Amino acid sequence: MSETMRAAVVDEAGAEFEVVERAVPEPASGEVRVAVEACGICHSDVFVTEGGYPGVSYPRIPGHEVVGYVDSVGGSVENWSAGDYVGAGWHGGHCFTCEPCRRGEFLNCERAEITGLTFDGGYAEFTTVPAEALAAVPEDLAAADAAPLLCAGVTTYNALRNADLQPGDLVAVQGVGGLGHLGIQYARAAGYETVAVSRSPDKEPLASELGADHFVNAADEDPAERLQALGGADGVLATAPSSDAIASVVEGVGIGGSVIVVGVPGEDVPVNAQHLIGTAGSVEGWGSGDARDSQDTLEFSSLRGITPKIETYPLEEVETAYGRMMENEARFRAVLKP
Ligand SMILES: [Zn+2]
Ligand SMILES: [Zn+2]
């Protein structure tokens, strides 16, 4: 095997990507080396390119939607072996010994690792990942299709399945983008009456194709009024990272309904407390999931034929691919094929 690999590196916060030759990393004890087939580009990669997240050191290789084949395993790794088809997401490992870990709350680990942030991620031909951060990928999912499921997918799937929702409930997905276009598919597959909410009327045919029962053009009509006309939302999955957009749906929740925020807006979100009191409604947040949650997402996606809509790019075009994501031009997830 070649001793070096190509990798897209960020040298410091604010720097452009540089595609360089790097030594292929050796897996330490407890780690697995993955030959990367595909890595999705996520908006949270700005924490590397622009800084602003504690614990990032440079140079850093971003990428937390990694899919590939196990290439080599470090000492004491018993559950993975060479050739396994695997993925790694945002949650990049945990200590097993802190108080949250002792309670099985691995996402809240006090020493949690983040793939592509606290260690090098998938914008490269190879990466090493703690064994507990890997999910098995079903063989029928192509690597480039599976990659966005490791963050955009698990975030929306896990948020919905942990919400207090039943089949037949009215569930709106706000934002038909990287997260939202998956959220609509999961909502439909879970049996909810599914509403797509978008400020882009041209997304209506796609929303319908993805399984939405209703489309709300938020540029033209008040989404909260429309949701109330439909009976009041039991859940709104807010994927658009916009404070205004999130605030505009709060009054659309019905009795006991909730707005589940998964897209991080830059500013605080003002909410109508009176409406929340009157409906016993809530606004809550949800992160992503651990490796088993990712595997559940992948298995459910395989079972129901749910895939993201993607654009693929070679590693050399990382700057273009990243730019399309940042400019909200990617339809709907940009994926690198190192
Ligand atoms: Zn992400
Ligand atoms: Zn821990």
Side-chain angles (χ1 to χ4, degrees):
M1 199 186 84
S2 132
E3 302 287 301
T4 64
M5 65 174 189
R6 287 173 305 116
V9 177
V10 178
D11 272 333
E12 58 183 340
E16 299 215 316
F17 291 99
E18 271 191 82
V19 178
V20 299
E21 291 282 322
R22 273 282 193 89
V24 172
E26 285 301 321
S29 178
E31 289 184 348
V32 171
R33 184 167 68 204
V34 178
V36 180
E37 292 278 312
C39 185
I41 296 180
C42 177
H43 191 265
S44 297
D45 294 337
V46 298
F47 291 130
V48 180
T49 58
E50 294 174 14
Y53 201 92
V56 187
S57 60
Y58 295 90
R60 179 60 74 222
I61 301 169
H64 59 268
E65 293 184 347
V66 188
V67 173
Y69 289 93
V70 173
D71 168 69
S72 168
V73 299
S76 78
V77 174
E78 291 174 358
N79 52 337
W80 304 107
S81 49
D84 288 348
Y85 190 32
V86 296
W90 174 264
H91 181 71
H94 43 268
C95 75
F96 295 96
T97 56
C98 72
E99 190 59 23
C101 279
R102 290 183 63 206
R103 295 185 185 281
E105 305 279 348
F106 300 132
L107 283 186
N108 299 320
C109 172
E110 291 163 7
R111 290 177 281 275
E113 299 280 349
I114 302 172
T115 310
L117 245 88
T118 61
F119 61 92
D120 284 336
Y123 287 23
E125 290 180 283
F126 295 89
T127 185
T128 54
V129 178
E132 74 273 15
L134 288 179
V137 181
E139 288 293 337
D140 66 326
L141 286 179
D145 285 338
L149 303 180
L150 271 304
C151 183
V154 65
T155 297
T156 51
Y157 175 77
N158 216 26
L160 287 171
R161 72 170 179 170
N162 282 285
D164 182 17
L165 297 168
Q166 309 295 326
D169 280 357
L170 189 74
V171 174
V173 177
Q174 181 188 47
V176 184
L179 270 69
H181 88 292
L182 288 165
I184 292 168
Q185 296 182 73
Y186 291 129
R188 167 73 178 216
Y192 309 141
E193 184 177 353
T194 303
V195 187
V197 179
S198 172
R199 287 176 175 172
S200 310
D202 57 321
K203 302 249 177 90
E204 180 164 8
L206 173 73
S208 169
E209 177 200 319
L210 295 172
D213 300 293
H214 311 277
F215 183 82
V216 178
N217 173 5
D220 258 13
E221 56 184 328
D222 181 339
E225 279 178 19
R226 179 74 184 282
L227 291 173
Q228 288 300 344
L230 289 167
D234 298 293
V236 182
L237 185 68
T239 73
S242 154
S243 168
D244 290 347
I246 297 166
S248 75
V249 292
V250 171
E251 288 168 59
V253 303
I255 305 299
S258 63
V259 176
I260 308 144
V261 181
V262 293
V264 184
E267 325 81 44
D268 291 351
V269 179
V271 298
N272 181 334
Q274 187 180 356
H275 181 78
L276 295 179
I277 292 166
T279 54
S282 59
V283 177
E284 57 194 85
W286 188 267
S288 54
D290 62 21
R292 198 61 185 80
D293 295 319
S294 290
Q295 191 167 322
D296 289 343
T297 304
L298 292 158
E299 288 168 354
F300 184 77
S301 302
S302 164
L303 179 73
R304 288 288 173 257
I306 293 171
T307 52
K309 297 207 177 287
I310 57 168
E311 302 173 353
T312 59
Y313 296 86
L315 193 63
E316 285 66 26
E317 290 175 25
V318 58
E319 202 69 54
T320 303
Y322 183 81
R324 283 185 60 78
M325 180 281 297
M326 285 302 284
E327 295 303 317
N328 208 12
E329 288 167 348
R331 292 291 176 267
F332 282 91
R333 210 69 176 166
V335 177
L336 295 173
K337 299 264 289 175

